[in-house]
Amino acid sequence: MTDAVRLKPEHAVQPLKARREQGGLREHVRKYPAFWVGLAILLFFGLLIIFAEQIAAADPLAQDLSVRLKPPSAEHPFGTDELGRDIYSRTVHGARVSLPASFFVVVVSVVVGSLLGALAGFLGGVVEEVVMRVADVTLAFPSIVLALAISAFLGPSLTNAILAACVVLWPEYARLMRSQVLVIRSLDYILAARSLGLPEWYILVRHVLPNAWTPLIIKASLDVGGIILLVSALSFLGLGVTPPTAEWGAMIALGRTKFYQWWLATFPGLAILIVIFACNLLSEGLRDWLDPNYR
Amino acid sequence: MLRYIARRLILTIPMLLGISLVLFLIYNLVQIDPLVMIVGERAMDNPEVVAAAVKKWGLDRPIWEQYLTYVVNMARGDFGASFLTRRPVMDDLRLFLPATVELALSSLAFATVLGIPLGILAGVKYRSLFDRGVWFISLLNASLPPFWTGLIFLTIFYFYLGIMPGPGRLDPRMSDPERVTGLYTVDSLLAGDVQAFGSTLHHLVLPTLILGGFTLALVVRVTRAAIIEEMRRDYIRTARGKGLSERRVIVRHALRNVMMPLVTILGLAFAGLLSGAVMTETVFDWPGLGQYLVKAAVNFDYPAIQGGTLLIAIVYVLVNLVVDVMYGLLDPRVRYD
């Protein structure tokens, strides 16, 4: 009986680890300032979410009609709204709605989209046809238009806004992941792995996927900002978060017709602007760092 | 070339069917009585109207037959009647579309006229202070929520400074120009009404800045990246070696090749304009498709949502087709087979 050598996954040559960055943390910060500034701003908002009660002691929902529509003062640093609620407190607590919701949408979309995209690229055939045609149809709508229609049909609520955002976002990852898999699959080292007799699933998991992630991560960091914009836009239009919840887009909507009370819309809007800007910075920095082809 | 266009047009048919299927499924899944959707709540008491609608939309038939009827009616341009305006949705769309087109075109013009030179300068002076400044501003610009920026601009330029008009397309004291194209700039000129033309342009400024701002960031970034790429090519070295002025090298040689990626993002930019229109039109009370859609969505005007969404998707698919065709016209290396 011949003892044919049967190759098992552990015999495979491990993919090369990425070259370690030269220099320490300080050097990294100097080389990729955009990444670190973006990250720092997002961490700051993370702290706001955790310590919202300590940072803004006033109840974001407490109404006090004796101080309606008051401009910023020592007592109410961002002023008060129509129902005498403290806008500073509402802005701080608003981070608890937009950021986790957006983060959740992006994580779900990345997982679902990249899984389906990888399967489509790797298996081809019927799976690819079905997944990519569904993605094409979804991508035929500008995202906010489809999200608007879905929210309208399901009724306004944060859950439905999140659902709508997931529906419009996952196909983008599916498409990106599929194209990544298709490119990587044709590279020589995959041919080498295959000629070693490694099972297909192993090649996919250990050789293709680890090299396909970079653009998805860069896109994901950008999309956290994009989804915050989408969810707050839906709330602004009256199709997302419902009152009295403190949410940035809904707060801006309250200031829509009140030009005199500029503080109503200004502060929640600044919060959205800063978070999206941080995500954009982070994404730019990640691109410089992780994608050597892009300079 | 023509064969390619024909083939692409045929390929959009399954795409449009898919889009209509999505919309059909959404409203069937959420258990809204389709009859109410078609005839409107007020007409539900009238048995004649109801019977006619059941017959026309095949609501007593199995679901797949209903879908077929639905597609046929849609293809005829019959989207049912809006609950809000009580007019056929198709008539409404015809009424509201021009305002969006006018705003989108003016935004696109603003973004390209300003964005291409800025992108070229930033790319040529790669890594200079100017380049970094443009990078920072366009990143900041891309981070602005349009519905908020619109409000802030109105507060500053209309309310406090008074140098810009308030919401709307035209001074409320003026009468609308006679409708020919629906574009106020064109119609007012056709009517020879210079005052209305001026007022229309004035009203276009703020929404254009807001809506075009996002596209501007996109145009600047793509132009900059492309010019950096092109300036390293051999043909640029040859052109310089011939002793051409730098200006000529950029304008006559590099710029032509930068057009390609710019055309490619046009489709993307257009989607951004349509999405942005939803928010911008709401803030500026601009009677376009975006505002129509938002009003429909807030008031559960299902036929209007469906018709409006479908129209936007169709426009979007067609724009992408035009982009692909232009791609081939600009670059002889692209083959259509």
mmCIF file of all heavy atoms in Angstrom, chain A residues 131-148:
data_model
loop_
_atom_site.group_PDB
_atom_site.id
_atom_site.type_symbol
_atom_site.label_atom_id
_atom_site.label_comp_id
_atom_site.label_asym_id
_atom_site.label_seq_id
_atom_site.Cartn_x
_atom_site.Cartn_y
_atom_site.Cartn_z
ATOM 1 N N VAL A 131 -26.829 36.893 -6.407
ATOM 2 C CA VAL A 131 -26.332 37.930 -5.493
ATOM 3 C C VAL A 131 -26.076 39.227 -6.238
ATOM 4 O O VAL A 131 -26.508 40.315 -5.812
ATOM 5 C CB VAL A 131 -25.044 37.461 -4.779
ATOM 6 C CG1 VAL A 131 -24.422 38.620 -4.006
ATOM 7 C CG2 VAL A 131 -25.347 36.307 -3.847
ATOM 8 N N MET A 132 -25.401 39.141 -7.371
ATOM 9 C CA MET A 132 -25.017 40.372 -8.052
ATOM 10 C C MET A 132 -26.199 41.064 -8.719
ATOM 11 O O MET A 132 -26.240 42.292 -8.766
ATOM 12 C CB MET A 132 -23.917 40.107 -9.088
ATOM 13 C CG MET A 132 -22.600 39.638 -8.500
ATOM 14 S SD MET A 132 -22.208 40.301 -6.860
ATOM 15 C CE MET A 132 -21.840 42.002 -7.252
ATOM 16 N N ARG A 133 -27.191 40.309 -9.175
ATOM 17 C CA ARG A 133 -28.354 40.972 -9.778
ATOM 18 C C ARG A 133 -29.153 41.699 -8.688
ATOM 19 O O ARG A 133 -29.618 42.809 -8.884
ATOM 20 C CB ARG A 133 -29.244 39.967 -10.504
ATOM 21 C CG ARG A 133 -28.669 39.418 -11.809
ATOM 22 C CD ARG A 133 -28.318 40.452 -12.849
ATOM 23 N NE ARG A 133 -27.006 41.068 -12.635
ATOM 24 C CZ ARG A 133 -25.844 40.499 -12.952
ATOM 25 N NH1 ARG A 133 -25.810 39.309 -13.500
ATOM 26 N NH2 ARG A 133 -24.712 41.124 -12.722
ATOM 27 N N VAL A 134 -29.292 41.055 -7.517
ATOM 28 C CA VAL A 134 -29.989 41.730 -6.421
ATOM 29 C C VAL A 134 -29.231 42.996 -6.034
ATOM 30 O O VAL A 134 -29.816 44.069 -5.829
ATOM 31 C CB VAL A 134 -30.131 40.791 -5.197
ATOM 32 C CG1 VAL A 134 -30.693 41.556 -4.004
ATOM 33 C CG2 VAL A 134 -31.031 39.616 -5.533
ATOM 34 N N ALA A 135 -27.902 42.884 -5.990
ATOM 35 C CA ALA A 135 -27.095 44.060 -5.643
ATOM 36 C C ALA A 135 -27.266 45.156 -6.695
ATOM 37 O O ALA A 135 -27.442 46.331 -6.355
ATOM 38 C CB ALA A 135 -25.621 43.659 -5.532
ATOM 39 N N ASP A 136 -27.249 44.771 -7.977
ATOM 40 C CA ASP A 136 -27.397 45.760 -9.057
ATOM 41 C C ASP A 136 -28.692 46.542 -8.916
ATOM 42 O O ASP A 136 -28.727 47.759 -9.055
ATOM 43 C CB ASP A 136 -27.401 45.056 -10.428
ATOM 44 C CG ASP A 136 -26.000 44.678 -10.856
ATOM 45 O OD1 ASP A 136 -25.056 45.134 -10.197
ATOM 46 O OD2 ASP A 136 -25.869 43.915 -11.828
ATOM 47 N N VAL A 137 -29.770 45.782 -8.659
ATOM 48 C CA VAL A 137 -31.077 46.437 -8.567
ATOM 49 C C VAL A 137 -31.091 47.414 -7.388
ATOM 50 O O VAL A 137 -31.561 48.544 -7.500
ATOM 51 C CB VAL A 137 -32.196 45.391 -8.422
ATOM 52 C CG1 VAL A 137 -33.486 46.058 -7.993
ATOM 53 C CG2 VAL A 137 -32.389 44.650 -9.726
ATOM 54 N N THR A 138 -30.530 46.991 -6.253
ATOM 55 C CA THR A 138 -30.521 47.873 -5.085
ATOM 56 C C THR A 138 -29.677 49.115 -5.356
ATOM 57 O O THR A 138 -30.030 50.221 -4.959
ATOM 58 C CB THR A 138 -29.959 47.134 -3.872
ATOM 59 O OG1 THR A 138 -30.499 45.818 -3.856
ATOM 60 C CG2 THR A 138 -30.320 47.841 -2.596
ATOM 61 N N LEU A 139 -28.562 48.916 -6.063
ATOM 62 C CA LEU A 139 -27.667 50.042 -6.324
ATOM 63 C C LEU A 139 -28.203 50.958 -7.417
ATOM 64 O O LEU A 139 -27.638 52.004 -7.686
ATOM 65 C CB LEU A 139 -26.277 49.530 -6.710
ATOM 66 C CG LEU A 139 -25.503 48.886 -5.551
ATOM 67 C CD1 LEU A 139 -24.211 48.276 -6.051
ATOM 68 C CD2 LEU A 139 -25.218 49.894 -4.459
ATOM 69 N N ALA A 140 -29.321 50.548 -8.055
ATOM 70 C CA ALA A 140 -29.893 51.399 -9.088
ATOM 71 C C ALA A 140 -30.629 52.581 -8.479
ATOM 72 O O ALA A 140 -30.992 53.514 -9.177
ATOM 73 C CB ALA A 140 -30.850 50.598 -9.963
ATOM 74 N N PHE A 141 -30.859 52.551 -7.167
ATOM 75 C CA PHE A 141 -31.493 53.681 -6.499
ATOM 76 C C PHE A 141 -30.414 54.499 -5.791
ATOM 77 O O PHE A 141 -29.548 53.921 -5.139
ATOM 78 C CB PHE A 141 -32.468 53.203 -5.429
ATOM 79 C CG PHE A 141 -33.603 52.373 -5.934
ATOM 80 C CD1 PHE A 141 -33.495 50.996 -5.992
ATOM 81 C CD2 PHE A 141 -34.786 52.966 -6.326
ATOM 82 C CE1 PHE A 141 -34.551 50.222 -6.444
ATOM 83 C CE2 PHE A 141 -35.839 52.195 -6.774
ATOM 84 C CZ PHE A 141 -35.723 50.830 -6.835
ATOM 85 N N PRO A 142 -30.482 55.823 -5.877
ATOM 86 C CA PRO A 142 -29.626 56.598 -4.982
ATOM 87 C C PRO A 142 -30.016 56.234 -3.549
ATOM 88 O O PRO A 142 -31.209 56.088 -3.251
ATOM 89 C CB PRO A 142 -29.988 58.044 -5.298
ATOM 90 C CG PRO A 142 -30.641 58.014 -6.626
ATOM 91 C CD PRO A 142 -31.282 56.676 -6.750
ATOM 92 N N SER A 143 -29.018 56.065 -2.669
ATOM 93 C CA SER A 143 -29.308 55.430 -1.371
ATOM 94 C C SER A 143 -30.411 56.125 -0.593
ATOM 95 O O SER A 143 -31.303 55.470 -0.046
ATOM 96 C CB SER A 143 -28.035 55.352 -0.541
ATOM 97 O OG SER A 143 -27.448 56.628 -0.430
ATOM 98 N N ILE A 144 -30.406 57.465 -0.556
ATOM 99 C CA ILE A 144 -31.408 58.097 0.308
ATOM 100 C C ILE A 144 -32.814 57.934 -0.250
ATOM 101 O O ILE A 144 -33.788 57.854 0.496
ATOM 102 C CB ILE A 144 -31.094 59.583 0.582
ATOM 103 C CG1 ILE A 144 -31.989 60.066 1.714
ATOM 104 C CG2 ILE A 144 -31.270 60.438 -0.651
ATOM 105 C CD1 ILE A 144 -31.558 61.309 2.376
ATOM 106 N N VAL A 145 -32.914 57.816 -1.577
ATOM 107 C CA VAL A 145 -34.237 57.666 -2.178
ATOM 108 C C VAL A 145 -34.844 56.316 -1.795
ATOM 109 O O VAL A 145 -36.007 56.239 -1.377
ATOM 110 C CB VAL A 145 -34.144 57.816 -3.710
ATOM 111 C CG1 VAL A 145 -35.472 57.509 -4.362
ATOM 112 C CG2 VAL A 145 -33.695 59.220 -4.072
ATOM 113 N N LEU A 146 -34.051 55.259 -1.882
ATOM 114 C CA LEU A 146 -34.554 53.941 -1.500
ATOM 115 C C LEU A 146 -34.835 53.896 -0.002
ATOM 116 O O LEU A 146 -35.877 53.377 0.437
ATOM 117 C CB LEU A 146 -33.542 52.851 -1.887
ATOM 118 C CG LEU A 146 -34.003 51.423 -1.640
ATOM 119 C CD1 LEU A 146 -35.301 51.139 -2.371
ATOM 120 C CD2 LEU A 146 -32.953 50.417 -2.080
ATOM 121 N N ALA A 147 -33.927 54.471 0.802
ATOM 122 C CA ALA A 147 -34.124 54.483 2.247
ATOM 123 C C ALA A 147 -35.401 55.233 2.606
ATOM 124 O O ALA A 147 -36.158 54.830 3.490
ATOM 125 C CB ALA A 147 -32.917 55.115 2.938
ATOM 126 N N LEU A 148 -35.637 56.311 1.874
ATOM 127 C CA LEU A 148 -36.848 57.114 2.083
ATOM 128 C C LEU A 148 -38.093 56.276 1.815
ATOM 129 O O LEU A 148 -39.043 56.266 2.611
ATOM 130 C CB LEU A 148 -36.798 58.301 1.118
ATOM 131 C CG LEU A 148 -37.686 59.489 1.351
ATOM 132 C CD1 LEU A 148 -37.109 60.315 2.485
ATOM 133 C CD2 LEU A 148 -37.758 60.345 0.098
#
